[in-house]
Amino acid sequence: MTVQSSSLRRFFRGSQVGLFVVIGLLILLFVIGVSVSDRFATSRNILNVYEQSTGLALVSLGQTLAILTGGIDLSVGSIISLSSMLTSGLINGNPSMVLPVIAGVLLIGIVIGAINGGIITVTGVHPLIVTLGTGAILQGITLLYGLGPTGKVPRGFDYFAYGRLPAGFSVGATFALVVFLLAAFLLRNTRTGRHIYAVGDDPHAATLMGLPTRRVIMLVYILSGFFASLTAIYLVSRFGVGQPYTGANYTLSSITPVVVGGTMLAGGRGGVLGTLLGVYLVSLLNNLLNFLDVSTHFQLVAQGLVIIAAVSLYVEKRRIA
Amino acid sequence: MTMAKANQAAPVPRASLTARAPDFVRSYGIFIFLIAAIVVTFAISPAFLSGANVSNMLMQLAPLGIVVIGQTFVVLVRGLDLSVASVMATAAVIATSFGGQNSDAALIFLACIGMGAATGLANGLLVTKRNVSPFLATLAMMIVLQGLRFAATQGAPSGNIPSLFRQLGSATLSGMPYNLLVMIVVAILFGILLHRSAFGRRVYITGGNPVTARLVGIAADRVTILCYVICGSLAALAGLILSGFVGVVDNFVGRGFELDSIVAAVMGGVALSGGRGSIAGALAGATILVVLSNAVVMVGMPVQLQIIVKGLVIIIAASLYVRPARA
């Protein structure tokens, strides 16, 4: 019980710090935006920022869970690329194939995640190396399937990416928001949720306490694979076709919102709400830089500086062996 | 990062001892695997060991080998450096931003090494003074450098590389690439530094057990920062040589080297948990990567299988190293 209550304390401490930093940065960006352009604070622009956050939000959610256990999932980019190719390649314009293919692709994400988790728990190799390896294998398989954009999707498939609910809220972004809130609730209020924190906090202690460490690790990589495949379906909905490198940038960019949101790479501290705000921060930053008419080249510099600024504010717990 | 956790499984004093008195499999397994890979590929495709193909592989090995040597220093102190590829590309852009005359060569060389060292210094300071995880610190520097490079070149770098660097990167001395000679010199110099000097012993102690390091009066922070500076400087050197090999400069010279160099070091027995590994092992890891990529093509498999094979080898090799550490 002591492990659980201490990890709970850390959870609140950690996530509060994270939330304050991100909220502070969000307000700062907003103020700058308002002073730069009249069009910035319009509901139209803000809804735009919201819509554009969808893909990053979905993939970062799974990444957050992997990082909370002290791991990392560097295969998400390849899972996205493979899933996007399979989605449009297998549907190939046939409306009756849409539902079976979506179910199949999500299942593939789950299976890949289970393979990641299985290798990690069985061999004891660091998740960084394991997922780097499976990521390379999956990218190779993707390129064996097709070297260019493959297949097509029927009319209406773009509803997930471009559909709007009443008041103009994006369908995809709202779906992501609901999933995040649900995940935050489950992390706080279920036994498995607390186990994720305990395993990340100290896997040794968690095992000694009798927690199902291996099962928890399997679970987070399965969820990470599932959300990567879901991101792929969103991207196919948005671009209309799957592409063999469409996920490549997501591997590293899915980590930015997680760490900016206050989740520690060492595991055990942070939470998904910080990540959600981190996603909105990245989305708002890119939007603001467009308004500032900054060359796209400097957008990268700004992203790097935001990461440095944010992580310098948090202090990773020192692990003394 | 969580690498410290993996280390908890292996008692630390033993880990630093195994670096000196290693068991047979762990220290020679990589070399046996390398020889086996060469023999099997040769049996399937004799052209694999033709003079031209060997020369070609050695030329590809040199830049990767130089980066791997630097990466080894960083991994030994429980870090990793994701910014090496970005440093390489930046060095390539610097090399073309002068007139392209051989008289500028010394200036270019100093500017590149200075840039690499400065990047390493920034990485090291973030890791030691701000306690940022190496993954994030070097990831952020990678992105910042990439952005600065794009901004400086407006996305389309141009200009010429002095012919001296072209020679160094792509010419051979009766089949022996010049760039490999550079790698050998670097390997010997830094091998002496790591395996025969007081600084090298401090690197192993700092990575093996930071607490001990502090107790015996080692300035662990300074050792760590120096390791990042070495890594950044060597990456810049490798970028210069690779740009001489490629001949044309784009913004992504060296793409993929950050992961390949980490993979090579891990395959060569450099433990991500720090304090264990050698430059010879890391270079053997780099050689395996080059040989396998080449072998896939030589035995007539589709090119896409290159990365599949690479991924499989990473996981298999890494799992072989973890097992003995647990026992």
Side-chain angles (χ1 to χ4, degrees):
Chain A
M1 287 323 277
T2 48
V3 167
Q4 285 195 357
S5 67
S6 94
S7 69
L8 263 189
R9 258 206 314 280
R10 279 160 199 255
F11 164 41
F12 286 117
R13 198 170 359 128
S15 71
Q16 271 172 1
V17 175
L19 294 184
F20 278 128
V21 172
V22 193
I23 291 171
L25 283 170
L26 274 171
I27 293 173
L28 181 70
L29 285 188
F30 197 81
V31 170
I32 296 174
V34 170
S35 61
V36 167
S37 165
D38 313 332
R39 284 175 300 136
F40 180 80
T42 57
S43 63
R44 193 190 150 131
N45 185 49
I46 297 301
L47 285 171
N48 217 8
V49 171
Y50 179 65
E51 181 182 270
Q52 277 160 9
S53 69
T54 314
L56 190 59
L58 290 173
V59 62
S60 304
L61 177 55
Q63 189 68 267
T64 310
L65 299 176
I67 292 177
L68 276 177
T69 63
I72 198 160
D73 191 347
L74 296 185
S75 67
V76 288
S78 301
I79 300 178
I80 292 173
S81 297
L82 177 62
S83 301
S84 82
M85 290 284 278
L86 289 176
T87 304
S88 67
L90 294 176
I91 290 177
N92 210 7
N94 182 353
S96 65
M97 286 296 281
V98 168
L99 285 180
V101 168
I102 286 179
V105 163
L106 291 177
L107 185 66
I108 286 172
I110 289 172
V111 170
I112 294 171
I115 293 172
N116 278 336
I119 297 175
I120 290 165
T121 51
V122 170
T123 64
V125 176
H126 196 286
L128 184 96
I129 297 291
V130 172
T131 55
L132 194 64
T134 53
I137 295 169
L138 293 170
Q139 185 64 56
I141 294 174
T142 309
L143 292 174
L144 281 175
Y145 183 73
L147 288 169
T150 301
K152 56 182 188 280
V153 287
R155 202 180 279 276
F157 197 81
D158 64 353
Y159 180 72
F160 190 36
Y162 293 110
R164 293 288 182 131
L165 298 169
F169 286 100
S170 147
V171 170
T174 308
F175 174 78
L177 176 65
V178 171
V179 174
F180 261 93
L181 295 178
L182 187 66
F185 177 81
L186 291 176
L187 268 178
R188 273 166 205 261
N189 297 302
T190 64
R191 184 181 298 208
T192 306
R194 287 192 294 268
H195 287 176
I196 288 176
Y197 282 95
V199 168
D201 202 41
D202 191 335
H204 251 46
T207 310
L208 290 175
M209 290 288 295
L211 302 189
T213 313
R214 290 177 175 220
R215 218 184 311 152
V216 169
I217 290 175
M218 288 290 287
L219 176 71
V220 295
Y221 289 96
I222 286 174
L223 286 171
S224 181
F226 172 81
F227 281 112
S229 285
L230 199 55
T231 308
I233 292 167
Y234 162 78
L235 289 177
V236 173
S237 165
R238 180 167 163 192
F239 297 124
V241 68
Q243 298 159 67
Y245 286 108
T246 199
N249 286 329
Y250 280 94
T251 301
L252 293 178
S253 63
S254 68
I255 296 166
T256 309
V258 180
V259 297
V260 168
T263 298
M264 303 290 158
L265 279 188
R269 276 201 290 170
V272 291
L273 289 184
T275 301
L276 182 63
L277 293 178
V279 169
Y280 293 151
L281 184 73
V282 171
S283 202
L284 195 66
L285 180 69
N286 288 337
N287 181 265
L288 174 63
L289 289 170
N290 281 337
F291 269 103
L292 286 173
D293 209 14
V294 175
S295 112
T296 48
H297 308 318
F298 275 111
Q299 295 193 358
L300 275 173
V301 182
Q303 263 203 34
L305 292 178
V306 166
I307 297 180
I308 294 180
V311 296
S312 299
L313 288 173
Y314 311 126
V315 179
E316 293 258 354
K317 61 184 166 176
R318 270 192 196 272
R319 275 192 179 275
I320 295 174
Chain B
M1 278 221 57
T2 52
M3 277 134 212
K5 277 180 211 165
N7 204 50
Q8 285 172 343
V12 174
R14 190 171 158 270
S16 60
L17 270 184
T18 48
R20 293 180 181 281
D23 59 290
F24 183 78
V25 172
R26 206 185 305 165
S27 42
Y28 300 112
I30 181 85
F31 301 104
I32 296 166
F33 183 80
L34 175 56
I35 292 166
I38 290 174
V39 169
V40 170
T41 316
F42 179 63
I44 299 174
S45 164
F48 174 69
L49 284 187
S50 68
N53 194 44
V54 170
S55 182
N56 180 23
M57 281 191 287
L58 291 176
M59 204 175 277
Q60 285 170 15
L61 170 65
L64 179 61
I66 294 172
V67 177
V68 167
I69 293 168
Q71 193 73 259
T72 302
F73 275 86
V74 171
V75 175
L76 278 174
V77 293
R78 298 187 173 188
L80 84 177
D81 191 345
L82 293 178
S83 65
V84 286
S86 216
V87 167
M88 291 175 79
T90 310
V93 168
I94 291 175
T96 53
S97 50
F98 291 84
Q101 312 296 323
N102 274 341
S103 53
D104 297 326
L107 192 60
I108 290 175
F109 180 77
L110 287 177
C112 287
I113 302 295
M115 177 274 303
T119 310
L121 181 65
N123 284 332
L125 286 174
L126 279 170
V127 169
T128 54
K129 303 302 178 193
R130 287 305 313 159
N131 211 12
V132 177
S133 75
F135 186 93
L136 277 183
T138 58
L139 172 66
M141 286 307 293
M142 170 187 107
I143 298 173
V144 169
L145 265 185
Q146 190 179 327
L148 289 176
R149 197 167 64 241
F150 275 41
T153 59
Q154 293 302 314
S158 59
N160 291 314
I161 303 166
S163 59
L164 198 66
F165 291 121
R166 296 269 309 136
Q167 285 270 319
L168 201 60
S170 59
T172 61
L173 181 67
S174 58
M176 176 69 142
Y178 281 113
N179 67 7
L180 190 72
L181 295 175
V182 175
M183 187 199 86
I184 292 171
V185 171
V186 169
I188 291 173
L189 287 181
F190 284 87
I192 292 172
L193 181 68
L194 184 61
H195 299 298
R196 293 279 177 273
S197 79
F199 172 73
R201 281 190 287 281
R202 288 194 201 109
V203 170
Y204 278 99
I205 300 172
T206 302
N209 192 335
V211 181
T212 314
R214 212 173 308 131
L215 291 178
V216 299
I218 290 172
D221 281 4
R222 208 183 306 160
V223 172
T224 304
I225 292 171
L226 262 175
C227 286
Y228 281 96
V229 170
I230 289 171
C231 187
S233 310
L234 287 181
L237 176 65
L240 259 184
I241 285 175
L242 187 62
S243 69
F245 172 70
V246 179
V248 206
V249 162
D250 69 38
N251 264 318
F252 289 104
V253 171
R255 183 204 292 247
F257 270 62
E258 66 276 64
L259 300 182
D260 282 359
S261 63
I262 294 168
V263 167
V266 169
M267 280 185 3
V270 184
L272 280 178
S273 48
R276 215 167 54 205
S278 69
I279 284 182
L283 285 178
T287 313
I288 287 185
L289 274 189
V290 172
V291 165
L292 284 180
S293 300
N294 188 276
V296 165
V297 179
M298 292 307 282
V299 302
M301 292 192 275
V303 171
Q304 292 97 316
L305 274 179
Q306 274 188 359
I307 51 177
I308 296 183
V309 168
K310 203 190 278 181
L312 281 172
V313 169
I314 299 166
I315 296 174
I316 295 168
S319 60
L320 289 180
Y321 285 110
V322 170
R323 283 241 174 245
R326 270 181 162 184

